[in-house]
Amino acid sequence: MTDPARIADLWHEIKSIVVPDLRGLFEEDADRLGKQVIEESGLRFDFSKTHLTDGYLAAFEELAQAVDFNGKRAAMFAGETINVTEGRAVEHTAERGEGRAESVAAAHEHKLRMRTLVEVIEAGALGEIKHVLHVGIGGSALGPDLLVDALARDAGRYDVAIVSNVDGVALEAAMARFDPHATLLIVASKTFTTTETMLNAASAIEWMQEAGVDDPYGQVIALTAAPDKAIEWGIDETRILGFSESVGGRYSLWSSIGLPAALALGWDGFEALLEGAAAMDRHFRNAPLRENVPLRAAFVDQLYSRCLACQTRAVFAYDERLRLLPSYLQQLEMESNGKSVKADGTPVYGHTAAITWGGVGTDAQHAVFQLLHQGTHIVPVEFIAVTEAGDALDPAHHQTLLVNCFAQGAALMQGRENAADPARAYPGNRPSTTILIDALTPHALGALIAFYEHRTFANGILLQINSFDQFGVELGKEIARSIERDGANGFDPSTMALIELALG
Ligand code: F6P
């Protein structure tokens, strides 16, 4: 049982700690680097340029105990119904072999089918497949897109397009590039009801029919937790790869939703991705509070968003291969924790999820870093860099990239006084975390993404919210359906005018 009064006191205690100046922290504690760097699964997490001190750590650890972090974490791995508002377990870790034995076994069965499918497609059982057109949106697109873009750009196996927006432009661009006779159409939707995906899928089938493909449905694979809906839609049972209802959409890239990545990378690569995630699962599940890296990152998040009222956090990938990471994290973090009530329905006072934004370094330096260095907002920054170069060019490119990344973190922290010329002064004392990856292998990316998932969950536990529902997206969908059905009737004058003007 958690004690609300004790939890409120602990938040109060944390908020009343005097915030130190970052610049003094290394001098005050000769072992700061040792204490604030954690290495795990080939990743180095450096929290030393944040304001987290021994005092904060001890207080946050007490809070973690008071909110029953250990119990909640164990409940997730045990397959208990922790998504209370939807009455579901949360079992994405079972997809990589960690969790309740029955769920791990069921996920393994799905994986065997998925692997066979990858192999039969490779062997030409669906004809000569050169192109993969994956339609899906949100969690059914962002994860696969990130994986394919980060890991498979030079794999040379299939040309993959991930199409999400219902705006036909993206679909047309893919169709213009692909040969319909040599295209595998993947329809990815957990619910198999999402308007955008179903419309894109129908248009893609039409494109195949118009091009004279004999059996377009024979070139379709459905990835879904609702096989009945896929069958109703016209897809043969044998062409459906399922996954469990207890795998949330934004946590689903490890399930059959990862098919385009498995095709693009090959099965061994996909398996290495799962193994990397499993290594992070074991760390998150077993590491004590003090060494637990997703929990430590959540302490940093809470320190800035809830205690110091920072409204946003920025993620900059200093590697072109990770350019899609910020958008992936936006869904993971904001859809999971952008809530105003706790799991028991009572209000949360103060910020929950920070607004996640970001970009790619060095481009972002020349666009948004002005505000980070001199603006009035304090934005905790996360840098992600890879030691091994991802290109075959002169090593000078990669060296310059890394030099810039490290320089930004130092500059944010150090700042520079300039009393004579305030426009050229840098306040400094601005926080950043750096994640350094040895090499961007499937294993490392698996561990990195799993780290973010567990960090998101750890934030949810500290805030006592349910990180696994997403009712906030429903109202807009409902209103869109009503406009489709009934037109402009019954809305406010602004909405009615827009509908009448643009839709007639
Ligand atoms: O509208 C939000 C959402 O439900 C996300 O949570 C989900 O990832 C996305 O839509 C797509 O849903 P589906 O996989 O069911 O098509």
Side-chain angles (χ1 to χ4, degrees), residues 313-333:
R313 81 178 204 93
V315 179
F316 297 103
Y318 272 69
D319 198 299
E320 194 67 20
R321 293 169 295 175
L322 292 174
R323 67 191 170 147
L324 299 182
L325 184 65
S327 12
Y328 172 81
L329 292 179
Q330 285 182 323
Q331 188 201 18
L332 177 66
E333 299 181 359

Side-chain angles (χ1 to χ4, degrees), residues 79 112 149 326 382 399 406 462:
L112 292 179
D149 197 54
E382 191 158 278
Q399 189 175 332
F406 306 148
L462 294 173

Side-chain angles (χ1 to χ4, degrees), residues 252-436:
S252 65
L253 65 86
W254 324 96
S255 71
S256 60
I257 294 291
L259 181 66
L263 286 165
L265 277 173
W267 190 257
D268 289 351
F270 192 70
E271 211 158 58
L273 177 92
L274 299 178
E275 279 160 16
M280 187 56 75
D281 291 338
R282 289 189 290 275
H283 166 80
F284 178 63
R285 188 177 193 175
N286 302 320
L289 301 190
R290 187 52 66 101
E291 286 139 42
N292 197 302
V293 72
L295 181 64
R296 178 81 62 101
F299 291 164
V300 172
D301 292 337
Q302 292 307 313
L303 171 60
Y304 291 114
S305 83
R306 199 168 160 88
C307 304
L308 305 180
C310 299
Q311 294 191 334
T312 81
R313 81 178 204 93
V315 179
F316 297 103
Y318 272 69
D319 198 299
E320 194 67 20
R321 293 169 295 175
L322 292 174
R323 67 191 170 147
L324 299 182
L325 184 65
S327 12
Y328 172 81
L329 292 179
Q330 285 182 323
Q331 188 201 18
L332 177 66
E333 299 181 359
M334 298 202 279
E335 194 166 84
S336 296
N337 290 338
K339 316 274 166 73
S340 304
V341 292
K342 296 183 191 167
D344 65 7
T346 58
V348 182
Y349 298 106
H351 292 318
T352 51
I355 297 159
T356 307
W357 63 284
V360 72
T362 58
D363 297 9
Q365 286 176 206
H366 300 274
V368 297
F369 274 46
Q370 163 66 39
L371 179 146
L372 298 179
H373 287 286
Q374 289 187 318
T376 50
H377 294 82
I378 302 299
V379 181
V381 172
E382 191 158 278
F383 295 107
I384 298 142
V386 183
T387 306
E388 193 177 276
D391 56 60
L393 294 176
D394 179 336
H397 286 259
H398 194 62
Q399 189 175 332
T400 304
L401 180 77
L402 293 187
V403 161
N404 270 278
C405 176
F406 306 148
Q408 293 300 324
L412 285 165
M413 179 171 75
Q414 275 168 23
R416 178 177 288 161
E417 281 178 18
N418 193 335
D421 186 356
R424 290 183 171 78
Y426 303 81
N429 191 27
R430 300 197 168 197
S432 65
T433 298
T434 304
I435 302 175
L436 189 59

Side-chain angles (χ1 to χ4, degrees), residues 137-140 189-191 194 249 331 335 470 473 477:
I137 199 163
S140 295
S189 174
K190 181 177 173 185
T191 55
T194 303
Q331 188 201 18
E335 194 166 84
Q470 57 286 317
V473 301
K477 287 186 195 174

Side-chain angles (χ1 to χ4, degrees), residues 24-36 53-54:
L25 292 178
F26 287 97
E27 274 167 36
E28 277 161 31
D29 183 353
D31 191 26
R32 179 163 178 79
L33 203 57
K35 289 177 185 167
Q36 295 292 355
T53 55
D54 289 353

